[in-house]
Amino acid sequence: MNKQEIPYKIYLEEQEMPKQWYNVRGDMKKKPAPLLNPGTLQPLKQEDLEGIFCSELCKQELDDTTRFFDIPEEIRSFYKMYRPSPLVRAYCLEEKLGTPAHIYYKFEGNNTSGSHKLNSAIAQAYYAKKQGLKGVTTETGAGQWGTALSMACSYFDLDCQVYMVKVSYEQKPFRREVMRTYGATVTPSPSMNTEVGRKINAEFPGTNGSLGCAISEAVEAATKQEGYRYVLGSVLSQVLLHQSVIGLETKAALDKYGIKADMIIGCAGGGSNLGGLIAPFAGEILRGEADYDIIAVEPASCPSLTRGKYAYDFCDTGKVCPLAKMYTLGSGFMPSPNHAGGLRYHGMSSIVSELYDQKILRAVSAEQTEVFKAATQFARTEGILPAPESSHAIKVAIDEALKCKETGEAKNIVFGLTGTGYFDMVAYAKYNDGEMTDYIPSDADLEKSFSQMPVVNL
Amino acid sequence: MNKQEIPYKIYLEEQEMPKQWYNVRGDMKKKPAPLLNPGTLQPLKQEDLEGIFCSELCKQELDDTTRFFDIPEEIRSFYKMYRPSPLVRAYCLEEKLGTPAHIYYKFEGNNTSGSHKLNSAIAQAYYAKKQGLKGVTTETGAGQWGTALSMACSYFDLDCQVYMVKVSYEQKPFRREVMRTYGATVTPSPSMNTEVGRKINAEFPGTNGSLGCAISEAVEAATKQEGYRYVLGSVLSQVLLHQSVIGLETKAALDKYGIKADMIIGCAGGGSNLGGLIAPFAGEILRGEADYDIIAVEPASCPSLTRGKYAYDFCDTGKVCPLAKMYTLGSGFMPSPNHAGGLRYHGMSSIVSELYDQKILRAVSAEQTEVFKAATQFARTEGILPAPESSHAIKVAIDEALKCKETGEAKNIVFGLTGTGYFDMVAYAKYNDGEMTDYIPSDADLEKSFSQMPVVNL
């Protein structure tokens, strides 16, 4: 199709929005390995999880056969406030690059949380409310998840307690104010509020924190308060289930215009955006119906897929959470503080890890300065200032479009633009001032971190 | 129509986007008074303006009879990156308020500049480029216009020099970084770069600046550099012309669903958003085709319509710009620094002023803390954190919806949500901490400012 036929932005109609989430595990012959009880090292059951998570979410977490879950009407109503999100044809970027490739991006940043995180936040808040809880606790890295959860809790009138990774808390003071505007309390992590926080502060004085630490604190806070549960913004299978709304809409928008994607590119931290974006496409590959080149892009400073081990590991630094089999750098891995924003998690969603192991997707890593270079180029041509996280996908999409320029191929490149960078201006300022640096962990660093992983023989 | 029939967001199709801007002056029997040459006090001609503005924009400025101007294809292409903007049915807010009113808002915040300002920025940059200029200078208050212009200049590869009101420059350091990311240079105003800046600094040491000062500096900078012209983000008739795209889309979206607006509410600083939003509706009133209750909402701290004089005044503090007949507080009026964000201009667009004088619209003012209260309520129910400026319209829309609750009327209330508040978190923090105060200028303050206005007998 030509420019006249495909609009700049493909919007689905409200009635075309997905009515069910898609659980890609239902189409996997070899399933992701089960979560393990950290005490007994036995596969977790519903009752093991219910002290931490809402019951309905435990069910979703453990169910690896049901392919579709109905999206409750209350969640669909909330979705309608900011969804369907547009699938944008990057005409201006294509022209700037002089590429024959057709570039599309699914833009999830047009809501106040600034990212796709709201898709799962509203679902988790809904199930917490339905269960009659008082509130929820969580961690946040770049602050997008915390903001999303604050919005969702405010909508359902639930208390919201956020442990925010210290480096982000300090770099993004305004994120805190957005969360407070939505009525949440925000605590920098590691804090002195929890046993595990006090322990980590004693062990690593002056630490910048990590998602792993913040998770441990939030879990402890949830289990020690009556009527509270813990919620998590990425990694878990339930989160990838909710995020499948991204991929389902993307697929529907492409189908509406008869476009067959050749490549699908997403940034990968814990894996929720990537897992959601690729779900229906991975499903087609798994069912032998189609083929796609799926690429996960991770930061070179936190390279769980490209340099991690595929093994059982702790999900959090404090080792209070279940064990998951995943590509991991070891739960003791602390990303460099010079790394901007999110994508700081030591592990990768079990589903994405297993799909990667089955070669349904491939992975590449990108260094920070080249990511910000791509971000700036994108901002100037497409008019959206992207989040640093999302910009990892932009970087590789541009690389692939330039390869097409060499080969003359008119590939359809689809990538996920997970969010906006309005709260990342400290990092942009560093880049603008030429003061941004790159960091790649040494093999010795990783070996040290690997050596602290649990030994599980299953 | 009921909930099933009207979606949460009404999007026009790309081909339904306006192909022409609408010049409401063409339908006014009594035209806005002409701009005057500040030296001769004679009506300005094209040649008087060409040293300051691009030629094509001078034509648009002076033409008060042509009703429609074609939108050039290059501008339409840019518009397609972020337009059409949605007309949103505020179902969640209606439910929260328990009002029978139907509330709609035209949301202009879904672009990186965060507001409607981009609609005129891209037009002005286009005409500057077409004229072969090297660059443009401008002022910015809250930073939205500067950001918009930076984006537009980057798209057309023009140099962009921004004088930013000092109080905003300090309260919004991240805005500066967004502009720099788009390649602009940003200078706090009053600066020591220009004669007028040095003079204002000497006269008012430690001043927080004002839009009036920044305009003077930007104009001086434009006229003293070869290949530069000055551009302005509000007040001017050309800007209202470009902003008519807001109203035209709003009208088209309402018409698509057979909705007849009863009230149209917009915030008013210099008048560009309001003038653009109401243009086609005011046109219908002027042509005797329909009736609407149009309300301009201004801050009680800078109340040009509700407490100003309708007279010729200087457009800038430095008195280098043409004189305009407008509702004004006097060009020497300095808004209190405790007033957050934009809407700080001492005057009001000549078009809006004349429409107000002809009683085509009415005006009310709102105090800062009640505006932030409405903003927070809106954020929590509609999921969008609004700009302080836009929240003036929200405040009055909520008030009107609550009146409908009393009377049982199911009015159709349409308001303009001009932008997002992501760069206004210093002000939100003040509100969250209970430290926000209100300021209303005394009659004596205004009398003093009025006494410095020029005497023009036309």
Side-chain angles (χ1 to χ4, degrees):
Chain A
M1 288 197 183
N2 63 22
K3 190 159 174 171
Q4 275 63 50
E5 285 164 333
I6 299 175
Y8 280 64
K9 294 181 253 69
I10 304 176
Y11 279 107
L12 299 175
E13 300 289 325
E14 209 166 79
Q15 64 273 19
E16 294 172 310
M17 281 172 61
K19 292 184 178 60
Q20 297 183 308
W21 292 304
Y22 168 60
N23 181 15
V24 70
R25 288 173 295 174
D27 279 318
M28 293 170 77
K29 281 190 196 100
K30 183 168 175 241
K31 307 287 181 188
L35 294 172
L36 300 185
N37 180 314
T40 63
L41 298 186
Q42 291 303 305
L44 274 175
K45 297 193 198 95
Q46 173 88 11
E47 55 267 32
D48 296 319
L49 279 174
E50 286 199 333
I52 303 177
F53 299 117
C54 304
S55 306
E56 199 67 37
L57 293 167
C58 296
K59 272 188 217 158
Q60 295 180 356
E61 190 62 34
L62 298 174
D63 187 337
D64 59 9
T65 52
T66 304
R67 296 176 62 228
F68 290 97
F69 287 80
D70 288 340
I71 306 176
E73 194 47 46
E74 292 86 343
I75 297 174
R76 280 175 47 79
S77 286
F78 189 88
Y79 277 172
K80 286 175 191 167
M81 286 207 299
Y82 71 102
R83 306 199 68 82
S85 69
L87 181 71
V88 185
R89 174 77 184 268
Y91 283 118
C92 298
L93 182 62
E94 290 171 18
E95 196 183 320
K96 186 84 177 178
L97 298 175
T99 178
H102 294 191
I103 308 175
Y104 297 87
Y105 56 92
K106 180 67 170 171
F107 182 41
E108 292 287 321
N110 269 351
N111 70 75
T112 283
S113 79
S115 83
H116 66 292
K117 298 278 182 178
L118 197 51
N119 302 330
S120 183
I122 192 63
Q124 298 194 46
Y126 166 77
Y127 292 117
K129 187 70 181 182
K130 203 177 154 203
Q131 194 172 322
L133 297 178
K134 285 184 207 159
V136 292
T137 70
T138 198
E139 80 297 327
T140 196
Q144 291 171 334
W145 166 248
T147 312
L149 190 69
S150 305
M151 291 174 68
C153 285
S154 152
Y155 186 76
F156 285 124
D157 208 13
L158 277 170
D159 185 37
C160 181
Q161 301 174 358
V162 181
Y163 287 84
M164 186 170 188
V165 177
K166 196 180 275 177
V167 63
S168 296
Y169 184 90
E170 285 163 4
Q171 279 191 358
K172 304 185 176 185
F174 294 167
R175 274 276 181 206
R176 180 179 66 221
E177 291 306 326
V178 180
M179 292 186 245
R180 286 183 70 208
T181 299
Y182 282 94
T185 54
V186 190
T187 308
S189 167
S191 75
M192 301 303 276
N193 286 6
T194 63
E195 272 177 42
V196 63
R198 288 189 290 270
K199 192 168 156 238
I200 293 168
N201 267 319
E203 205 167 331
F204 305 97
T207 174
N208 288 291
S210 71
L211 265 186
C213 302
I215 293 173
S216 300
E217 288 206 85
V219 171
E220 184 183 324
T223 52
K224 290 199 173 155
Q225 291 173 92
E226 175 86 24
Y228 280 75
R229 289 294 185 284
Y230 167 70
V231 296
L232 180 66
S234 188
V235 183
L236 295 175
S237 300
Q238 61 188 262
V239 179
L240 270 74
L241 174 70
H242 308 146
Q243 295 296 359
S244 69
V245 72
I246 305 173
L248 293 166
E249 281 188 10
T250 302
K251 182 88 176 64
L254 291 169
D255 288 350
K256 196 167 176 174
Y257 284 84
I259 304 156
K260 163 72 172 64
D262 295 299
M263 320 189 74
I264 299 148
I265 302 168
C267 63
S272 76
N273 144 66
L274 180 80
L277 172 67
I278 70 172
F281 303 97
E284 288 185 81
I285 302 176
L286 288 163
R287 296 190 305 271
E289 294 169 3
D291 204 15
Y292 302 99
D293 184 10
I294 300 180
I295 309 178
V297 190
E298 57 185 13
S301 59
C302 195
S304 54
L305 286 174
T306 51
R307 295 178 67 200
K309 279 195 193 312
Y310 192 33
Y312 268 103
D313 195 11
F314 299 106
C315 289
D316 62 326
T317 314
K319 306 179 181 178
V320 300
C321 288
L323 298 184
K325 187 176 175 191
M326 57 185 177
Y327 279 86
T328 174
L329 300 167
S331 67
F333 180 80
M334 288 268 180
S336 161
N338 92 332
H339 170 63
L343 310 184
R344 302 172 66 84
Y345 187 62
H346 67 275
M348 179 60 64
S349 135
S350 294
I351 293 176
V352 170
S353 292
E354 182 57 31
L355 290 172
Y356 179 61
D357 200 58
Q358 294 181 22
K359 305 205 181 337
I360 304 294
L361 61 96
R362 60 190 177 101
V364 298
S365 73
E367 291 182 40
Q368 183 160 258
T369 48
E370 62 185 11
V371 165
F372 273 82
K373 188 178 164 202
T376 302
Q377 181 173 19
F378 183 82
R380 291 186 182 189
T381 47
E382 285 291 318
I384 294 171
L385 187 95
E389 297 83 359
S390 327
S391 304
H392 288 74
I394 295 173
K395 154 76 182 140
V396 172
I398 289 176
D399 287 350
E400 293 293 335
L402 291 175
K403 282 184 203 162
C404 288
K405 190 176 177 178
E406 302 272 311
T407 63
E409 289 171 287
K411 283 188 183 174
N412 288 318
I413 300 174
V414 176
F415 73 91
L417 186 69
T418 54
T420 49
Y422 307 141
F423 292 97
D424 298 283
M425 296 319 297
V426 169
Y428 271 97
K430 237 185 197 172
Y431 177 76
N432 290 338
D433 290 333
E435 289 169 6
M436 180 165 274
T437 55
D438 291 316
Y439 167 81
I440 300 179
S442 69
D443 288 341
D445 285 345
L446 293 184
E447 282 310 321
K448 188 177 159 210
S449 169
F450 290 148
S451 70
Q452 294 160 4
M453 282 167 54
V455 178
V456 177
N457 298 309
L458 263 195
Chain B
M1 289 198 181
N2 64 22
K3 190 158 173 171
Q4 276 63 49
E5 288 163 331
I6 300 175
Y8 279 64
K9 293 181 253 69
I10 304 176
Y11 278 108
L12 298 175
E13 301 290 325
E14 209 166 78
Q15 64 273 19
E16 293 173 309
M17 282 172 61
K19 292 183 178 60
Q20 298 183 306
W21 293 304
Y22 168 61
N23 181 15
V24 70
R25 288 173 295 174
D27 279 318
M28 293 170 76
K29 280 189 198 101
K30 185 171 174 237
K31 309 286 182 189
L35 294 172
L36 300 186
N37 182 310
T40 64
L41 297 186
Q42 291 304 303
L44 273 175
K45 297 191 198 96
Q46 175 88 11
E47 53 267 34
D48 297 320
L49 279 174
E50 285 199 334
I52 303 177
F53 300 116
C54 302
S55 306
E56 200 67 37
L57 292 167
C58 296
K59 272 188 217 158
Q60 294 180 357
E61 191 63 33
L62 298 175
D63 187 338
D64 59 8
T65 53
T66 304
R67 293 177 63 228
F68 290 97
F69 287 79
D70 287 342
I71 306 176
E73 194 46 47
E74 293 86 344
I75 297 174
R76 279 176 48 81
S77 287
F78 189 89
Y79 277 173
K80 286 176 189 167
M81 287 207 297
Y82 71 100
R83 309 200 66 82
S85 69
L87 181 72
V88 186
R89 174 76 185 267
Y91 282 119
C92 297
L93 182 62
E94 289 171 17
E95 197 183 319
K96 186 81 175 181
L97 297 175
T99 177
H102 294 192
I103 308 175
Y104 298 87
Y105 56 93
K106 179 68 169 168
F107 182 41
E108 292 286 320
N110 270 350
N111 70 75
T112 283
S113 79
S115 81
H116 67 291
K117 299 278 183 179
L118 197 52
N119 301 330
S120 183
I122 192 63
Q124 298 194 47
Y126 167 77
Y127 291 116
K129 187 70 180 180
K130 204 178 154 205
Q131 194 172 323
L133 297 178
K134 287 185 205 159
V136 292
T137 70
T138 199
E139 79 297 328
T140 196
Q144 292 170 333
W145 166 248
T147 311
L149 189 69
S150 305
M151 292 175 67
C153 286
S154 153
Y155 185 76
F156 286 123
D157 207 13
L158 277 171
D159 185 38
C160 180
Q161 301 175 356
V162 181
Y163 287 83
M164 186 170 187
V165 177
K166 195 179 275 175
V167 61
S168 296
Y169 184 90
E170 284 162 4
Q171 279 189 358
K172 303 187 176 183
F174 293 168
R175 274 277 182 206
R176 180 179 65 221
E177 291 307 324
V178 179
M179 292 186 246
R180 286 183 69 208
T181 298
Y182 282 94
T185 54
V186 189
T187 308
S189 167
S191 76
M192 300 304 276
N193 286 6
T194 63
E195 271 177 45
V196 62
R198 289 189 289 272
K199 191 169 155 238
I200 293 168
N201 268 318
E203 206 167 330
F204 305 96
T207 173
N208 288 290
S210 72
L211 265 186
C213 302
I215 292 173
S216 300
E217 288 207 86
V219 171
E220 183 184 324
T223 51
K224 290 199 175 156
Q225 291 175 94
E226 175 86 24
Y228 280 75
R229 288 294 185 284
Y230 166 70
V231 295
L232 180 66
S234 189
V235 183
L236 294 174
S237 300
Q238 61 188 260
V239 180
L240 271 73
L241 174 70
H242 307 146
Q243 294 297 358
S244 69
V245 70
I246 305 172
L248 293 166
E249 281 187 12
T250 302
K251 182 86 177 67
L254 291 169
D255 287 350
K256 197 168 175 173
Y257 285 85
I259 303 155
K260 163 72 173 65
D262 294 299
M263 318 189 76
I264 299 150
I265 302 168
C267 63
S272 77
N273 145 67
L274 180 80
L277 171 67
I278 69 172
F281 303 97
E284 288 185 80
I285 301 175
L286 289 163
R287 297 189 304 273
E289 295 169 5
D291 205 14
Y292 301 99
D293 184 8
I294 300 179
I295 309 176
V297 190
E298 59 184 11
S301 59
C302 194
S304 55
L305 286 174
T306 52
R307 295 178 67 199
K309 280 195 194 311
Y310 191 33
Y312 268 103
D313 194 11
F314 298 106
C315 290
D316 62 325
T317 313
K319 306 180 181 177
V320 300
C321 287
L323 299 184
K325 187 176 176 190
M326 55 186 179
Y327 278 86
T328 174
L329 299 167
S331 67
F333 180 79
M334 289 269 180
S336 161
N338 92 333
H339 170 63
L343 310 184
R344 301 171 67 81
Y345 187 63
H346 66 274
M348 179 60 63
S349 134
S350 294
I351 295 176
V352 171
S353 292
E354 182 58 31
L355 289 172
Y356 179 61
D357 200 56
Q358 294 181 22
K359 303 206 180 344
I360 302 295
L361 60 96
R362 59 190 176 102
V364 298
S365 73
E367 290 182 41
Q368 182 161 258
T369 48
E370 62 184 10
V371 165
F372 272 82
K373 188 178 163 200
T376 302
Q377 181 174 19
F378 183 81
R380 292 187 181 189
T381 48
E382 285 290 316
I384 295 171
L385 187 93
E389 296 84 359
S390 327
S391 304
H392 288 74
I394 296 174
K395 154 76 182 140
V396 172
I398 289 176
D399 287 350
E400 293 294 334
L402 291 175
K403 281 184 203 163
C404 288
K405 190 175 177 179
E406 302 271 310
T407 62
E409 288 171 285
K411 284 188 183 173
N412 288 319
I413 300 173
V414 176
F415 73 90
L417 187 68
T418 55
T420 50
Y422 307 141
F423 292 96
D424 299 284
M425 297 318 297
V426 169
Y428 271 97
K430 235 184 200 176
Y431 178 76
N432 291 337
D433 290 333
E435 288 168 7
M436 180 165 273
T437 55
D438 291 315
Y439 167 81
I440 299 179
S442 67
D443 288 340
D445 286 344
L446 293 184
E447 282 309 322
K448 188 178 159 210
S449 169
F450 290 148
S451 70
Q452 294 159 4
M453 282 167 54
V455 179
V456 178
N457 299 309
L458 264 194

